[in-house]
Amino acid sequence: MINIYKYGDVSNDEIFARSNATVDVEGTVAEIIKNVKDKGDAALFEYCEKFDRAKLDSLLVSQGEMEQAMASVEPRFIEVLERAAANIRKFHEKQKRNSFIINDEDGIVIGQKIIPVDRAGLYVPGGTAAYPSTVLMDSIPARIAGCREVVMVTPPGADGKVNPVILAAAKVAGVDRIFKVGGAQAIAALAYGTESIPKVDKIVGPGNAYVAEAKKQVFGMVSIDMIAGPSEILVVADGKSDPEHVAADLLSQAEHDRMASAVLVTDSQELAAAVSAQLEIQIPMLKRAEIARESIDKNGKIIVAPTLDCAIDIANEIAPEHLELCLDNPFDYLDKIRHAGSIFMGRNCPEALGDYFAGPNHTLPTSGTAKFSSPLSVDDFVKKTQYTYYTKEALGKVAEDVAYFAELEGLGAHAKSAMIRTEDEK
């Protein structure tokens, strides 16, 4: 049963505690990465047979396999994918940045260029955790950014095939190439390249502990989006909220995995009790009841705050991945939210809308990192470079200032490089 805490009656350590279960995979992942670097495709085939029980002739998903997948999924699924993709594109198109130039002083031009990374690599989980929504969320921003190529890695089943819903989503999203490889070995292949899989500039996408550790270890060789932790939801709700709805929203994240975190913060003791009761009713009805049960019992909590303003303060301190404001007037509180991955406003906006359909990205900062990081966006697939142009006359006006600054730092060659260009005029 979920724990209920009254804010102020228990220590903040209990209020703000997070799931701390960790798996020590650093050494195993380091060995996998080294093996892929040394042996390339051969290592990938070996790992695929070992971990996925699939003996492959090729890592690349063929055009024929793509056509088979599109033919095998329900037409309605394609229609829903396309509607969701349209919403995601509409939202992310607004994120595009423009280059700029400043030329308001004689002889001086400065500016900034926005340049997409050449190649983006997407990791998409497979097996029982096959999420076509992740394909859309991770690849559409890359396409909008203007990446020259978007490649995807995802583990095959024992039959050597990729889940057709994943391939259908990749087709709708415009992924260029798909490779049948998962786990830490897939991240290593994207980071260093193999005979079949090209080296990428950016790796994005969620995965298990091995994938997260691999992304951490290859960071610096390539860019990554984030090190994702367990799924999280925090619901701020008042006494007028429907406990059945709130419980359902909490369980929408609890069913993800046993380490997921579902938290309700409310100013109503009555709602707290009612939601706790509803959880006990709804959990047995879930297909993933065993997972949700462990998540709620170990990591779930209900916090009763004295006021809604206090509830907002608690939410900011936790900085959840998903934050729901189940209130009649959610926009009154929007400016008070400083730390959250994505905010869902009002009583009719379940977090599931964001997972699949609304348009804002569902690849979000977890584990309190919303205090300093952001959802996946078009910005993740671009880089900025800057440029400077001075005429001789413009340099002459500032050369002594540059030289003075350089000498102050003890860097005489810096100073000379500026002054030498003006010496012939003295």
Side-chain angles (χ1 to χ4, degrees):
M1 182 171 288
I2 197 166
N3 290 313
I4 301 178
Y5 302 103
K6 189 172 182 180
Y7 188 71
D9 286 359
V10 297
S11 71
N12 281 356
D13 288 343
E14 287 189 85
I15 294 291
F16 299 118
R18 291 182 182 274
S19 170
N20 59 4
T22 58
V23 182
D24 184 7
V25 298
E26 183 177 349
T28 302
V29 168
E31 183 180 345
I32 291 172
I33 291 173
K34 183 180 185 304
N35 200 20
V36 173
K37 286 173 64 178
D38 292 344
K39 297 173 61 178
D41 279 358
L44 299 180
F45 284 119
E46 290 172 6
Y47 285 128
C48 191
E49 191 166 358
K50 178 180 179 180
F51 296 130
D52 303 309
R53 299 182 178 85
K55 194 169 180 62
L56 301 178
D57 296 322
S58 171
L59 296 171
L60 180 67
V61 173
S62 68
Q63 182 60 36
E65 288 174 297
M66 290 294 293
E67 291 171 358
Q68 274 187 329
M70 292 297 288
S72 69
V73 298
E74 294 182 4
R76 186 187 174 196
F77 177 62
I78 301 298
E79 293 172 5
V80 172
L81 277 178
E82 289 175 342
R83 288 201 294 272
N87 290 340
I88 295 166
R89 289 189 187 98
K90 180 179 180 180
F91 179 84
H92 289 80
E93 283 282 356
K94 294 292 186 180
Q95 296 175 338
K96 291 172 69 174
R97 293 176 180 263
N98 295 318
S99 301
F100 66 79
I101 185 170
I102 300 172
N103 185 17
D104 55 6
E105 293 186 54
D106 289 342
I108 300 174
V109 180
I110 56 177
Q112 177 176 279
K113 288 180 63 180
I114 304 295
I115 307 168
V117 301
D118 284 340
R119 183 179 288 127
L122 318 178
Y123 185 89
V124 178
T128 58
Y131 300 133
S133 57
T134 295
V135 180
L136 301 182
M137 293 290 181
D138 288 358
S139 55
I140 289 174
R143 291 261 71 116
I144 291 172
C147 297
R148 292 181 179 178
E149 186 176 26
V150 178
V151 300
M152 187 176 94
V153 290
T154 189
D159 60 358
K161 296 180 180 180
V162 173
N163 192 316
V165 300
I166 296 294
L167 296 184
K171 176 72 172 178
V172 169
V175 174
D176 294 300
R177 287 188 282 174
I178 304 163
F179 297 94
K180 304 174 187 178
V181 57
Q185 60 272 25
I187 301 301
L190 291 174
Y192 294 97
T194 71
E195 298 90 332
S196 296
I197 299 178
K199 181 186 185 306
V200 303
D201 303 298
K202 179 96 181 197
I203 299 174
V204 304
N208 62 19
Y210 292 88
V211 170
E213 177 62 27
K215 287 168 71 177
K216 182 178 178 181
Q217 290 191 25
V218 302
F219 176 63
M221 176 59 61
V222 293
S223 177
I224 63 172
D225 51 352
M226 62 188 77
I227 307 295
S231 298
E232 303 169 342
I233 188 171
L234 188 150
V235 179
V236 172
D238 60 17
K240 294 190 289 183
S241 299
D242 186 323
E244 189 175 359
H245 296 177
V246 173
D249 292 356
L250 294 174
L251 291 172
S252 73
Q253 292 306 294
E255 73 173 352
H256 265 297
D257 68 68
R258 301 172 195 275
M259 292 169 59
S261 170
V263 178
L264 166 64
V265 187
T266 179
D267 62 347
S268 168
Q269 185 71 50
E270 292 75 18
L271 180 70
V275 169
S276 177
Q278 267 298 319
L279 289 170
E280 298 308 306
I281 293 171
Q282 294 186 32
I283 288 174
M285 301 166 62
L286 300 175
K287 290 181 180 179
R288 298 168 68 91
E290 185 179 344
I291 293 172
R293 173 86 275 163
E294 188 169 340
S295 169
I296 289 295
D297 289 352
K298 289 187 175 180
N299 307 311
K301 64 184 72 172
I302 297 175
I303 303 166
V304 180
T307 64
L308 283 179
D309 282 334
C310 180
I312 296 297
D313 289 341
I314 292 169
N316 278 323
E317 181 60 31
I318 292 174
E321 178 187 16
H322 307 97
L323 172 63
E324 288 189 7
L325 298 180
C326 290
L327 308 166
D328 285 334
N329 53 342
F331 287 95
D332 290 351
Y333 292 90
L334 182 59
D335 287 345
K336 297 179 181 180
I337 303 298
R338 300 182 351 264
H339 308 306
S342 194
I343 307 170
F344 300 86
M345 311 282 287
R347 304 191 192 280
N348 301 297
C349 194
E351 180 276 330
L353 268 174
D355 273 349
Y356 301 111
F357 204 77
N361 210 281
H362 80 194
T363 300
L364 304 168
T366 62
S367 305
T369 59
K371 289 186 176 180
F372 53 80
S373 56
S374 307
L376 189 75
S377 71
V378 172
D379 286 344
D380 282 283
F381 299 97
V382 301
K383 56 192 178 72
K384 298 177 279 288
T385 191
Q386 55 198 28
Y387 56 90
T388 305
Y389 170 81
Y390 273 57
T391 63
K392 187 172 185 178
E393 293 74 17
L395 174 61
K397 294 177 182 178
V398 300
E400 290 186 358
D401 288 343
V402 173
Y404 173 79
F405 212 146
E407 292 286 4
L408 194 69
E409 294 188 345
L411 299 173
H414 280 66
K416 185 173 182 179
S417 71
M419 293 304 298
I420 198 170
R421 288 171 165 78
T422 65
E423 288 176 354
D424 60 343
E425 296 179 0
K426 295 185 179 180

